[in-house]
């Protein structure tokens, strides 16, 4: 009889799956907007995993930069993005620090340098290059700096409620970006 009940719930004016195809209103501002050639906010202040605060420009030295915008307390998508990036970089012949730099920026102003240091250790282990610690930087920042880099890169995210109802998660795209000198 379960099939009959399911058939009764269907109507031509409300096709099955319709709600699954609609984007919830709270996600209207999450997504990615291509901003090729857009300069980054090099004077915006960030703090690395050691606690050093400096302008974004201090982590750029004329090499290409592989970038990811994530948040360090994420238990869903962000660890997969970072693991995928580390695995991909591990399989190249390019050398971090010589050929490129790696920069991750947290989109959560509540993330701390300690959170960044923990994620960096995992990333270096996944990348198989623990000796390249100086070429990999995990940054945190205040909301103004996060907004500045997100606006420049077109990386749009929104804070959403977690399973406990607290607004402690973010809806965002899964993307790796490249910045060139």
């Amino acid at each position: 009889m379960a099939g009959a009940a399911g058939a009764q719930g269907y109507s031509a004016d409300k096709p099955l799956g319709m709600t699954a195809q609609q984007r919830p209103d709270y996600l209207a501002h999450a997504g990615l907007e291509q901003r090729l050639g857009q300069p980054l906010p090099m004077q915006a202040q960030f703090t690395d995993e050691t606690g050093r605060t400096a302008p974004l420009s201090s982590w750029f030295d004329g090499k290409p930069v592989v970038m990811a915008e994530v948040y360090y307390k994420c238990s869903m998508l962000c660890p997969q993005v970072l693991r995928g990036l580390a695995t991909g970089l591990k399989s190249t012949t390019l050398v971090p620090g010589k050929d490129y730099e790696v920069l991750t920026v947290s989109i959560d102003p509540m993330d701390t340098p300690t959170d960044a240091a923990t994620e960096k250790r995992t990333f270096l282990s996944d990348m198989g290059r623990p000796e390249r610690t100086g070429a990999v930087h995990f940054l945190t920042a205040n909301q103004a700096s996060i907004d500045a880099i997100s606006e420049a890169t077109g990386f749009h995210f929104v804070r959403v409620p977690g399973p406990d109802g607290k607004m402690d998660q973010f809806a965002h795209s899964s993307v790796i970006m490249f910045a060139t000198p």
Side-chain angles (χ1 to χ4, degrees):
M1 287 297 164
Q8 290 174 353
Y10 173 80
S11 69
D13 63 328
K14 186 178 178 187
L16 290 175
M18 183 175 164
T19 57
Q21 300 303 316
Q22 293 176 340
R23 184 180 201 171
D25 289 340
Y26 68 87
L27 294 180
H29 300 291
L32 187 64
E33 179 182 349
Q34 251 188 12
R35 299 260 170 105
L36 300 176
Q38 176 75 27
L40 296 176
M42 295 306 228
Q43 295 310 310
Q45 297 290 306
F46 290 86
T47 303
D48 71 9
E49 69 283 347
T50 69
R52 178 177 76 108
T53 299
L56 183 62
S57 61
S58 66
W59 289 282
F60 286 77
D61 66 357
K63 294 182 203 69
V65 175
V66 181
M67 292 178 45
E69 291 178 66
V70 297
Y71 65 106
Y72 304 137
K73 294 176 185 150
C74 177
S75 61
M76 297 171 53
L77 183 60
C78 298
Q80 293 177 21
V81 170
L82 292 175
R83 191 172 308 110
L85 175 58
T87 302
L89 294 175
K90 182 179 183 177
S91 67
T92 72
T93 59
L94 300 174
V95 178
K98 177 181 171 218
D99 300 310
Y100 64 93
E101 299 284 323
V102 177
L103 191 68
T104 68
V105 178
S106 175
I107 60 173
D108 186 351
M110 300 303 290
D111 278 344
T112 66
T114 301
D115 299 325
T118 299
E119 292 303 312
K120 179 177 176 174
R121 281 190 297 277
T122 300
F123 183 86
L124 288 168
S125 175
D126 289 346
M127 194 169 70
R129 296 203 181 236
E131 77 284 359
R132 291 296 175 178
T133 188
V136 176
H137 315 282
F138 277 59
L139 307 181
T140 58
N142 64 26
Q143 192 65 58
S145 292
I146 292 167
D147 290 346
I149 195 163
S150 296
E151 182 62 28
T153 59
F155 185 83
H156 304 293
F157 57 90
V158 294
R159 193 175 279 277
V160 296
D164 58 3
K166 293 181 184 175
M167 298 295 279
D168 59 356
Q169 294 186 3
F170 293 86
H172 60 86
S173 297
S174 169
V175 63
I176 303 300
M177 300 176 204
F178 296 89
T180 61

